[in-house]
Amino acid sequence: MLRSTKVRIAILGSGAGSNAKALCVAARENATLYTVALVISTSAKAGICEVARDEGVELCVISGDVKGETFTEQLGSLLQDHRIEVLVLAGFMRLLPPEILRRMHGNVLNIHPALLPEFGGKGMYGIHVHEAVITAHKVESGATVHVVSENYDEGAVVGQMRIPVEATDSPLTLQEKVKLVEHQLYPAAVDQFIRTLK
Ligand code: GRF
């Protein structure tokens, strides 16, 4: 459908924030169907907090146990109060509480640093993913944006970008290359998803 106003997204993470940065930059350059209304971090020390401050985006930190009821309640209230239409995970390493998925009507996206369905699931995060890709002698890797479900890395794929794995790649060099791909893919995939919203 054609929208006259931008879709309000929140970015949730606890990492360096490089994907949050890419999402904010694309929006700031007015090249997207979304606006970043809120950044939520589960750690006050995470790089993603710095990104939010640099970009002038409202930041909320929810600390404590992400499996607990308090986390679910606080996150749910933030999403409601800020009228968030799509929740975008970027470096959120835990399963999202099912109540949040229901509240968001399934409009939750995640980015994974490999070509799902391969190299996904519990324990497949960060450098472990790239170690596994290299150990399996894959000639290609990349990044996947998918809809979040109640299981790790299993929802419908929204977009993927591929890169070759070179014989000289280490897990670290591959991680760096995949990150660059993620930064191109994520803003485009969020827009792609928004186009499918009723
Ligand atoms: C990314 O590699 C993403 O694929 C994974 O977590 C990492 C977050 O990195 N889900 P950053 O915080 O966006 O730099």
Side-chain angles (χ1 to χ4, degrees):
M1 87 185 262
L2 281 177
R3 290 175 171 270
S4 54
T5 53
K6 298 217 174 202
V7 167
R8 294 171 65 79
I9 72 164
I11 304 172
L12 170 62
S14 61
S18 68
N19 280 287
K21 182 81 185 176
L23 287 159
C24 288
V25 169
R28 174 156 50 77
E29 290 173 352
N30 210 20
T32 57
L33 300 175
Y34 65 83
T35 182
V36 183
L38 180 64
V39 168
I40 307 164
S41 175
T42 54
S43 161
K45 292 181 185 155
I48 194 171
C49 298
E50 208 51 49
V51 168
R53 288 186 203 105
D54 284 354
E55 289 291 327
V57 174
E58 189 170 343
L59 167 69
C60 289
V61 177
I62 313 179
S63 40
D65 178 12
V66 300
K67 283 187 187 157
E69 267 176 41
T70 316
F71 174 81
T72 306
E73 276 164 22
Q74 282 183 292
L75 179 56
S77 301
L78 280 176
L79 297 173
Q80 185 169 327
D81 294 350
H82 288 80
R83 292 173 287 113
I84 299 302
E85 296 166 88
V86 180
L87 175 60
V88 175
L89 309 186
F92 182 71
M93 301 301 180
R94 310 300 290 264
L95 277 180
L96 204 61
E99 294 90 325
I100 299 295
L101 291 179
R102 278 196 289 278
R103 181 187 277 268
M104 292 305 299
H105 308 290
N107 294 334
V108 184
L109 299 177
N110 182 43
I111 190 158
H112 184 77
L115 297 172
L116 292 175
E118 286 196 301
F119 305 105
K122 198 166 169 40
M124 276 292 167
Y125 61 89
I127 199 73
H128 304 302
V129 177
H130 309 292
E131 283 166 356
V133 168
I134 286 182
T135 302
H137 301 291
K138 290 288 171 182
V139 294
E140 269 192 327
S141 190
T144 305
V145 173
H146 64 94
V147 177
V148 173
S149 70
E150 293 190 15
N151 300 315
Y152 282 110
D153 305 323
E154 277 191 14
V157 170
V158 177
Q160 279 186 324
M161 277 182 82
R162 295 167 181 272
I163 53 162
V165 179
E166 311 290 347
T168 51
D169 272 325
S170 67
L172 271 177
T173 62
L174 187 57
Q175 183 176 46
E176 280 167 23
K177 289 179 188 173
V178 169
K179 274 260 176 129
L180 295 178
V181 162
E182 291 187 52
H183 302 161
Q184 286 178 54
L185 173 65
Y186 218 175
V190 173
D191 270 5
Q192 171 80 16
F193 179 73
I194 286 169
R195 285 192 198 95
T196 69
L197 295 177
K198 300 282 182 300

